[in-house]
Amino acid sequence: VYTSLGTMVGSLSGITSPTADAGSDDDVCETDSYTLSGSATDYSSVEWTTSGDGTFDNANILGATYSPGSGDLTAGTVTLTLTAYANGTCTDHATDDVVLTIVDAPTANAGSDATICETDSYTLSGSATNQTSVLWSTSGTGTFDDATLLNATYTPSTADITAGSVVLTLTANATAPCTDASDDMTLSFELAPTADAGSDATICETDVYTLSG
């Protein structure tokens, strides 16, 4: 015989396991920091860790900012891991990785300032690294034989010579997400000498002649 003395209703409240999404793999310029876009659900706390030697501004927020270290730059990539820890008494956790590829920043060196004669052209001695292309530009109105060459030749205009100098800028175009680099040099002009001996003349053999050069 089964006798019911009462009814007890029990409810079990399940605790959902956490999830973690570190975001998509991406590129970062070696000179920049990177703001992460992680997400997580059903977590009590989160933590970012790195396979390299960079630093987080706050490793316990989903949108942490990561600054690559010198070892990261040498390696060229770094793996960042987002861990989401469970709520309540659960001990499980979720992890996900994102790989940052570190892009080398360009450099540009336009060379030293120089002075030339107003009648001359000038062959530049620029240098650049980690660039996709280079381009020379001028603050004046002179011309380059080929502005896309590091050793382009610049021919000054009349306006350049009248101004006495011109600024020439070398721009090294970057690979995204880096930004372009540029550097300036000043080209100054010395006026060329002139000479005028005067007009032809005829004198008597017994005379002397005072020149009017």
Side-chain angles (χ1 to χ4, degrees):
V1 177
Y2 174 77
T3 302
S4 176
L5 298 178
T7 303
M8 180 179 69
V9 178
S11 62
L12 289 176
S13 177
I15 298 177
T16 306
S17 296
T19 67
D21 183 353
S24 301
D25 295 344
D26 208 351
D27 298 334
V28 60
C29 188
E30 65 173 326
T31 57
D32 295 338
S33 297
Y34 185 84
T35 299
L36 293 148
S37 55
S39 61
T41 62
D42 302 307
Y43 63 93
S44 61
S45 62
V46 296
E47 182 182 22
W48 287 98
T49 55
T50 174
S51 66
D53 61 349
T55 56
F56 298 96
D57 63 340
N58 184 347
N60 300 117
I61 60 173
L62 290 169
T65 297
Y66 183 74
S67 299
S70 58
D72 297 341
L73 303 184
T74 300
T77 62
V78 62
T79 300
L80 307 179
T81 301
L82 174 64
T83 300
Y85 296 100
N87 283 304
T89 59
C90 288
T91 58
D92 61 335
H93 58 272
T95 62
D96 191 44
D97 296 335
V98 61
V99 176
L100 291 185
T101 298
I102 300 168
V103 180
D104 292 333
T107 65
N109 185 343
S112 302
D113 296 343
T115 300
I116 62 170
C117 182
E118 64 173 322
T119 57
D120 294 339
S121 296
Y122 184 76
T123 299
L124 293 148
S125 56
S127 61
T129 63
N130 306 321
Q131 81 280 5
T132 57
S133 60
V134 297
L135 184 67
W136 286 98
S137 57
T138 174
S139 65
T141 57
T143 57
F144 299 94
D145 62 341
D146 186 343
T148 64
L149 298 177
L150 286 169
N151 302 119
T153 297
Y154 185 74
T155 301
S157 66
T158 301
D160 292 348
I161 294 165
T162 300
S165 66
V166 66
V167 176
L168 304 180
T169 301
L170 175 64
T171 298
N173 297 310
T175 299
C178 292
T179 56
D180 298 342
S182 63
D183 188 46
D184 297 334
M185 64 87 65
T186 300
L187 187 62
S188 300
F189 309 107
E190 290 283 358
L191 297 180
T194 62
D196 182 357
S199 302
D200 296 342
T202 301
I203 65 170
C204 179
E205 66 174 328
T206 60
D207 293 341
V208 295
Y209 181 77
T210 301
L211 293 156
S212 56

